[in-house]
Amino acid sequence: MITLTDIRKTYDGGQTFAVDGISLEISEGDLLAIVGESGCGKTTLMKSINRLNPITSGMIEVDGENISDLDPVMLRRRIGYVFQRIGLFPHMTVGENVATVPMLMKWDPATIDQRVNELLELVHLPPEQYRERRSKDLSGGQQQRVGLARALAARPSIMLMDEPFGALDPMTRDQLQNDFRQLHDQLNLTTIMVTHDMVEALLLADRIAVMANGKILQVGTPHELMTNPVNETVASFIETPKRQADQLEALSAPEDSA
């Protein structure tokens, strides 16, 4: 589905590399989480896939096509994109926000209308209740659901997600994480999600890529990373959720009787 071959990205003529020689394959239907500290290159890498951040060298293929040979606008319409700041148009209604890309693609109005209603139901925002509301009047969780519906509007097979749940309160975040995983499976999406939250990656992803200094240190399933980290850096990412799990288990243990 998506193949990255020896990808490099530099902003200073090659003195330093934000992405440094990354090769990676993401299979159809996979949910890959990219984790790493701020500035490690994970968002730069993800944005290279839809040409929002063109690579310096290497090759990226989507469905066997070299993306450098594709029109960037048409490529982005094939790929859903969800990010933390959402980016809804505040002067538009919820329905108008969701319909943005289909309208740009000149879909038939009746088809657009049906698609908007279908997507709002899919993200648990009943259209009769939410379609005519202004996006600025929604809660953060509701706005993120609208952003997800908008990203799905043109029926993409690929989703890019940049810290999509990071700004939400814990309960809303947990619900949206679960809902998205169900949507991912239901629609057979291929998803690449950037997150700094290792617990989120472990619970949501099929595979996790750990990055540092522009390079991928390890790619594996949650189980593989938890049980067999390849070096101390990867192990340090795993240590926090392990420690938190141990602390929660200790808290739930019966108290010693006096």
Side-chain angles (χ1 to χ4, degrees), residues 49-112:
I49 294 170
N50 64 356
R51 294 183 64 180
L52 280 175
N53 205 333
I55 58 176
T56 302
S57 63
M59 182 171 67
I60 300 174
E61 295 173 286
V62 173
D63 292 332
E65 296 181 287
N66 188 334
I67 65 169
S68 64
D69 297 333
L70 304 176
D71 177 82
V73 174
M74 298 306 296
L75 173 68
R76 288 170 201 147
R77 290 178 182 175
R78 291 168 51 185
I79 299 175
Y81 184 39
V82 181
F83 48 99
Q84 183 174 323
R85 295 180 300 278
I86 307 169
L88 299 181
F89 300 110
H91 62 287
M92 289 185 178
T93 66
V94 166
E96 289 168 341
N97 267 283
V98 176
T100 301
V101 174
M103 289 179 66
L104 289 172
M105 297 174 71
K106 302 187 185 302
W107 286 18
D108 175 79
T111 303
I112 293 175

